[in-house]
Amino acid sequence: MTKLKTVRHELEKEIAEQGYNLSSFSRISGVNRGVLSATLNSAPPKPISVNQLDQMTAALGRPEGWLYELFIEECFSADEKINWRRIRPLIIRCVELQRNDYLERTLYLLLEAPSYTDELFQLAESLRQTKEPLVMMLYKYIIKYERSAHSERMAISHYRLFIDIVGSDAENSYVYALKLHDFIEYLPLPLQLEAYHRCANSYYWVEHWDKMEYCADRLIEMTQRIYQEYTEIKNPPAMLSIGTERSFVVYYGQALLIKGTFYEYTGNYVKALEYAHKYYDLSYLKGLDTEGQQEVQKLRIFAEGNIYGMNLHLGHFEVLEQYVNYLENHTSEIIPGLLVILTVANKYEFNIDNVLDQFASDIDSLLQPNEHYREFALNAYYTNTIYQLALYQAKHNKPNQQLKYTLSHFETSLNKCNMKRTMDITSLLQEFIRSSLE
């Protein structure tokens, strides 16, 4: 760094060019005159803080972040001892200003001395609630420079990155779930439960059934142990509280549901039905809070639909009318319910024209925003439902124009849904396209 190219020199030059002396500039900037003098005139100069630099920048009418590039280099120069009390506010300002270039440089220079990893982690945890996007960069650097691969700090950093991305995109959620997978056991218990639950859902959307089952098994094992310990307490508290962001029964009930889903999608409908009955009524659990009681009711609704669905898969078609009535009463379940009915109809080759007519508007609205499902979930249902619908129309010799209309929606699927899944479906339909549309 040249003698002239310093924060001190640039400030002196700008103050002089704008016609201020120390007294007048102190008044408009709010920086104490003595501090200004020590900063600009002393030898060696008093180190400036990022807050003081921001005050002077504003007084001079310069853009926010002016001179940060020089400031960062001075903070880490050979003549300066790293001072966390000076660096911490700098990192916060870089995050607030969304200056990833300055933040990256600061973190790179800071973590050349890995002894500051813990300070950076504590700062990331305190900034997390601000929802500022650049906070996630702090966790990425912690993972990169953390010395202990099995530290809780490393595990929590992976967890924070996963939670930040989960639900926004199925493929990216899956990638981050895989990165987190080997670190879950090093998380505190409340975060372990949440991590297994969310990772299981991420695996579901990309059809990674083995890993989804693993998460379900771990959740079942952990929640059963927690509940047993609770019931063995002589005078247990009225509510079973484990420090999680959701009620205990959410993790236990969802674990059973996920396990049943694993059996459903691997073709073991008897076992899937067995698990649906397990979470059909969890009102016997002790220590339920208000949220827990509400979750019990939600799980009962899911279980009822899945019981109908698994019975259909097993060839018990007499439950179809009951299932249709159930879907009419629980409209949030219409989309997955129609997929089950179409899949079973194609499997056993029975006619469901009356059902399709009844829910025609729901099929047409599959790509419309839906409060019950995230966008990528709707896209996945859309892809699979359109496939099953086209298959049904081809099997039942529906008019060519009707089948053409259904197949035309695959262009939307190609743009919005999982490309690999869509191409698999398209190849499966080729024989029907040839035979039906020639």
Side-chain angles (χ1 to χ4, degrees), residues 194-210:
E194 189 67 22
Y196 280 124
H197 176 234
R198 294 201 182 219
C199 282
N201 285 316
S202 293
Y203 296 139
Y204 168 79
W205 291 114
V206 294
E207 302 181 8
H208 203 316
W209 308 127
D210 289 345

Side-chain angles (χ1 to χ4, degrees), residues 84-129:
W84 176 247
R85 287 184 297 177
R86 196 175 181 212
I87 301 300
R88 186 180 188 276
L90 170 63
I91 292 174
I92 293 172
R93 286 297 288 146
C94 290
V95 170
E96 290 173 347
L97 296 176
Q98 298 188 42
R99 289 302 301 260
N100 63 304
D101 50 348
Y102 293 157
L103 183 59
E104 283 190 12
R105 181 62 177 163
T106 302
L107 295 178
Y108 171 76
L109 293 170
L110 175 68
L111 293 177
E112 284 189 325
S115 57
Y116 288 94
T117 307
D118 187 60
E119 284 86 348
L120 185 61
F121 174 75
Q122 297 302 329
L123 176 57
E125 289 290 274
S126 68
L127 291 176
R128 185 171 55 84
Q129 300 300 328

Side-chain angles (χ1 to χ4, degrees), residues 217-270:
D217 287 341
R218 290 291 292 127
L219 270 178
I220 292 171
E221 175 190 336
M222 293 171 69
T223 50
Q224 285 181 339
R225 184 177 69 248
I226 290 168
Y227 186 70
Q228 181 177 349
E229 291 172 355
Y230 171 75
T231 57
E232 289 176 352
I233 299 173
K234 187 173 182 180
N235 294 303
M239 302 299 176
L240 199 174
S241 177
I242 49 177
T244 51
E245 62 181 80
R246 291 185 272 195
S247 176
F248 164 80
V249 73
V250 172
Y251 303 101
Y252 179 57
Q254 288 289 324
L256 297 174
L257 188 154
I258 293 165
K259 182 73 172 185
T261 301
F262 165 78
Y263 283 122
E264 176 186 355
Y265 282 92
T266 53
N268 192 336
Y269 303 116
V270 172

Side-chain angles (χ1 to χ4, degrees), residues 136-137 139-140 143 155 157-184 195 198-199 202-203 206 211:
M136 292 301 119
M137 188 184 293
Y139 290 114
K140 290 179 180 178
I143 290 170
S157 296
H158 276 288
Y159 174 80
R160 300 297 186 213
L161 289 172
F162 169 68
I163 293 299
D164 182 62
I165 199 72
V166 70
S168 61
D169 175 84
E171 293 294 338
N172 279 332
S173 295
Y174 169 66
V175 169
Y176 278 86
L178 288 179
K179 290 179 180 179
L180 172 63
H181 193 84
D182 293 333
F183 296 94
I184 296 180
R198 294 201 182 219
C199 282
S202 293
Y203 296 139
V206 294
K211 282 202 176 323

Side-chain angles (χ1 to χ4, degrees), residues 394 397 400 403 429-438:
N397 298 315
N400 287 351
L403 182 54
L429 283 169
Q430 283 178 349
E431 61 178 287
F432 294 105
I433 296 172
R434 284 196 300 269
S435 62
S436 301
L437 303 182
E438 288 179 352

Side-chain angles (χ1 to χ4, degrees), residues 270-282:
V270 172
K271 292 292 290 184
L273 185 59
E274 176 186 324
Y275 271 86
H277 282 290
K278 285 185 178 183
Y279 59 84
Y280 178 79
D281 185 5
L282 296 178

Side-chain angles (χ1 to χ4, degrees), residues 417-435:
C417 306
N418 180 286
M419 179 67 76
K420 179 180 181 299
R421 178 64 176 142
T422 303
M423 295 309 293
D424 288 344
I425 290 171
T426 303
S427 65
L428 288 172
L429 283 169
Q430 283 178 349
E431 61 178 287
F432 294 105
I433 296 172
R434 284 196 300 269
S435 62

